[in-house]
Amino acid sequence: MNNFDFVCPTKIIFGKGTENRVGQETKKYSKKVLFVYGSGSIKKTGLYDKVVKSLKDNGVDYIELSGVKPNPRLSLVYEGIKICKENGIDFILAVGGGSAIDTAKAIAVGALYDGDVWDFFVGKAEIEKALPVGVILTLAATGSEASDSAVITNEDGWYKKGIHSDLIRPQFAIMNPELLYTLPQYQTAAGAADIMAHIMERYFTNVRNVDLTDRLCEATLKTMINNVPRLIENPEDYDARAEVMWAGTIAHNGLLDTGRIGDWASHRIEHELSAIYDIAHGAGLAIIFPAWMKYVYKHDLDRFVQFAVKVWDVDLTFTDREEIALEGIKRLEDFFRNIGLPVTLKEANIPYDRFEEMADKCTSNGTTTVGQFVKLTKDDIINIYNLAK
C-alpha cells in the first residue's frame, strides 16, 4: 500500500425530502448565488419550484444560468464566469447531474482568475482558489457531487479535458433518490456504467497489498450489479435507487483510491468519443472499458482472474486462468448490454474513420502515453479503438 492523503470535506445530506434544505445550507455560505442547471427538466419535475422557494425562504438571492448540456461546454462556463464577476457572486449552486456540477466547478475556478479558465484544463495554470459550490444531485453517474474533478468540452476543436483540486469539492451535496425516479432508462444505465468505470479505473492497479480497498471496490461493484437491473425493471424502487446513488458517490470521492494508483486510460480514451460524437460518457465507457481489458489483461492475469471470480462469480473450474479472465470480461460486456447499453462502436453508430485523430488528442497535453496499469502509446490507443469495433 502506498502513502496517501484522504480529504473529502463534502457534507452529504441524503434521503427523502432533503432538497427542501437547500436554502438553509446555502445561506451558510452566501446570500447571493449563481443557480446552475440544465435544459429545464427540473421545472417539469417540480424540483425547480422547491429550490426557488427554499432559497427565498432563507433570504438567498440568485441569478439563473440554465442550458447545461451533457458533455458540458466551455462556452457556458465563460458565460457563468462573466455573470459571477459582474454581479459579485460568491457561491454557486448546481442542480442536476455531473454536467451541471462540473460546469459549476469550472465557473468557480474561473470566477477568481484573470486569465482564460481553459488554462487550468491544459496545464498552463494551477488552481489556487475557487468559489464554494453546493449541489442537489439528480443523476447518479459521475460522482462529481463529492469529487475533486470536473470535465469540460471545448467546442474549439472539440477537446474534452479535466481539472483536479480539493478546492473544487462541493461544500454540500443534497441527495434524494426520489429525484431520480423520472430518469429515462438509458440515462440510468449510462450512469451505472460511469459509476462502475470509476471503480474499475481504481481496481486495476500495479500497487500490491491493497486488500482492503480491493474488497471495497468489489463490494461496490457487486452493489451495482445487484441493484441496477432492479432499476431497469422498476425506476421507482427507492431502495435500489439509494444503493446506486450512494455507490456513485463512494466510487469517486477518493476513498477507493487510498493507498493505490488507478489507471484512467479508459476515461481518457472515451473522452475523445464523447467530445466528437457527443455520446453519453457512460455509454462510451461501456464500449471502451471491455476493449481496454481485452488489450491489457495479460499484463496482470492474476488481477483479472480476481476480478472475474470476486466480482462476477466466475467458476474456478474453468479450464485455465486465461479463460477465467476472459469470462469475467465477457460478463461485464453482457451486463452492459443487458441494461441497454452499446458495447461496440458499431452498436453506437460511431464510424471508424477518426481513430488516429482521437488517439492524437488523447496523447496531447505534453504526454506520449496514457494510463498507469499499462502505459499506452498512440498506436495502443488505435488498437483499442479497433478492438471496440
Side-chain angles (χ1 to χ4, degrees), residues 1-17:
M1 183 185 293
N2 290 352
N3 292 2
F4 65 87
D5 293 351
F6 176 61
V7 178
C8 189
T10 304
K11 178 181 180 180
I12 303 296
I13 304 165
F14 194 101
K16 298 178 180 180

Side-chain angles (χ1 to χ4, degrees), residues 110-176:
L112 299 180
Y113 181 59
D114 291 333
D116 186 340
V117 69
W118 192 245
D119 291 347
F120 296 105
F121 291 85
V122 295
K124 291 182 179 179
E126 293 186 4
I127 299 172
E128 296 179 351
K129 52 188 176 179
L131 294 178
V133 173
V135 172
I136 299 178
L137 186 65
T138 64
L139 173 63
T142 69
S144 191
E145 66 274 6
S147 79
D148 68 348
S149 60
V151 178
I152 296 294
T153 298
N154 187 339
E155 301 99 315
D156 184 8
W158 297 104
Y159 288 92
K160 186 174 180 179
K161 296 189 179 296
I163 52 174
H164 296 269
S165 171
D166 284 324
L167 294 172
I168 62 173
R169 289 186 191 269
Q171 302 301 308
F172 64 81
I174 293 172
M175 301 169 59
N176 176 1

Side-chain angles (χ1 to χ4, degrees), residues 205-250:
T205 182
N206 293 318
V207 179
R208 301 303 175 190
N209 301 308
V210 286
D211 287 352
L212 174 60
T213 43
D214 273 357
R215 301 295 88 77
L216 293 175
C217 287
E218 290 157 6
T220 313
L221 285 168
K222 292 290 282 186
T223 297
M224 297 297 295
I225 293 165
N226 292 337
N227 285 281
V228 172
R230 289 172 56 186
L231 293 182
I232 301 302
E233 180 76 20
N234 176 15
E236 296 188 11
D237 184 330
Y238 180 86
D239 292 329
R241 283 284 181 202
E243 295 282 2
V244 170
M245 197 176 200
W246 186 225
T249 303
I250 295 298

Side-chain angles (χ1 to χ4, degrees), residues 335-361:
F335 179 83
F336 287 151
R337 183 177 281 114
N338 288 340
I339 63 173
L341 295 175
V343 295
T344 66
L345 295 173
K346 181 179 180 180
E347 290 175 10
N349 296 313
I350 292 175
Y352 312 148
D353 59 342
R354 299 179 74 171
F355 290 175
E356 185 162 354
E357 175 192 348
M358 291 190 293
D360 274 332
K361 288 181 175 179

Side-chain angles (χ1 to χ4, degrees), residues 169-205:
R169 289 186 191 269
Q171 302 301 308
F172 64 81
I174 293 172
M175 301 169 59
N176 176 1
E178 294 173 313
L179 299 179
L180 281 61
Y181 284 175
T182 58
L183 285 173
Q185 184 183 91
Y186 187 77
Q187 278 190 281
T188 295
D194 195 1
I195 293 168
M196 293 175 73
H198 286 157
I199 304 165
M200 294 185 294
E201 293 283 20
R202 294 165 164 94
Y203 189 76
F204 291 99
T205 182

Side-chain angles (χ1 to χ4, degrees), residues 20-314:
N20 296 311
R21 292 170 55 182
V22 64
Q24 175 187 339
E25 294 298 323
T26 300
K27 73 177 181 181
K28 297 175 183 177
Y29 302 94
S30 176
K31 290 296 185 71
K32 189 175 185 180
V33 306
L34 181 66
F35 172 15
V36 178
Y37 60 97
S39 60
S41 61
I42 65 169
K43 292 184 177 179
K44 296 175 185 176
T45 62
L47 177 57
Y48 173 89
D49 291 336
K50 290 182 180 180
V51 172
V52 167
K53 181 180 186 303
S54 184
L55 291 175
K56 289 180 176 178
D57 287 350
N58 285 274
V60 179
D61 292 329
Y62 60 91
I63 297 175
E64 295 183 28
L65 178 65
S66 62
V68 175
K69 298 179 180 179
N71 300 309
R73 308 297 201 260
L74 182 62
S75 57
L76 195 69
V77 172
Y78 286 147
E79 188 177 338
I81 291 169
K82 185 172 184 288
I83 292 171
C84 288
K85 289 183 175 181
E86 290 180 352
N87 293 276
I89 298 292
D90 56 5
F91 186 87
I92 304 174
L93 175 66
V95 180
S99 295
I101 301 168
D102 285 5
T103 298
K105 288 177 174 181
I107 293 168
V109 172
L112 299 180
Y113 181 59
D114 291 333
D116 186 340
V117 69
W118 192 245
D119 291 347
F120 296 105
F121 291 85
V122 295
K124 291 182 179 179
E126 293 186 4
I127 299 172
E128 296 179 351
K129 52 188 176 179
L131 294 178
V133 173
V135 172
I136 299 178
L137 186 65
T138 64
L139 173 63
T142 69
S144 191
E145 66 274 6
S147 79
D148 68 348
S149 60
V151 178
I152 296 294
T153 298
N154 187 339
E155 301 99 315
D156 184 8
W158 297 104
Y159 288 92
K160 186 174 180 179
K161 296 189 179 296
I163 52 174
H164 296 269
S165 171
D166 284 324
L167 294 172
I168 62 173
R169 289 186 191 269
Q171 302 301 308
F172 64 81
I174 293 172
M175 301 169 59
N176 176 1
E178 294 173 313
L179 299 179
L180 281 61
Y181 284 175
T182 58
L183 285 173
Q185 184 183 91
Y186 187 77
Q187 278 190 281
T188 295
D194 195 1
I195 293 168
M196 293 175 73
H198 286 157
I199 304 165
M200 294 185 294
E201 293 283 20
R202 294 165 164 94
Y203 189 76
F204 291 99
T205 182
N206 293 318
V207 179
R208 301 303 175 190
N209 301 308
V210 286
D211 287 352
L212 174 60
T213 43
D214 273 357
R215 301 295 88 77
L216 293 175
C217 287
E218 290 157 6
T220 313
L221 285 168
K222 292 290 282 186
T223 297
M224 297 297 295
I225 293 165
N226 292 337
N227 285 281
V228 172
R230 289 172 56 186
L231 293 182
I232 301 302
E233 180 76 20
N234 176 15
E236 296 188 11
D237 184 330
Y238 180 86
D239 292 329
R241 283 284 181 202
E243 295 282 2
V244 170
M245 197 176 200
W246 186 225
T249 303
I250 295 298
H252 206 39
N253 73 349
L255 177 63
L256 304 185
D257 282 320
T258 49
R260 59 202 296 144
I261 298 172
D263 183 62
W264 299 103
S266 296
H267 266 71
R268 291 279 297 275
I269 295 168
E270 192 289 324
H271 281 168
E272 307 312 325
L273 284 184
S274 48
I276 292 174
Y277 298 106
D278 210 26
I279 186 174
H281 178 51
L285 287 166
I287 296 167
I288 294 299
F289 227 112
W292 172 85
M293 288 178 162
K294 293 171 190 175
Y295 195 72
V296 305
Y297 75 92
K298 292 182 181 179
H299 169 73
D300 188 347
L301 187 59
D302 287 345
R303 178 148 289 272
F304 274 90
V305 168
Q306 178 178 307
F307 174 74
V309 173
K310 298 287 189 180
V311 176
W312 295 105
D313 301 321
V314 176

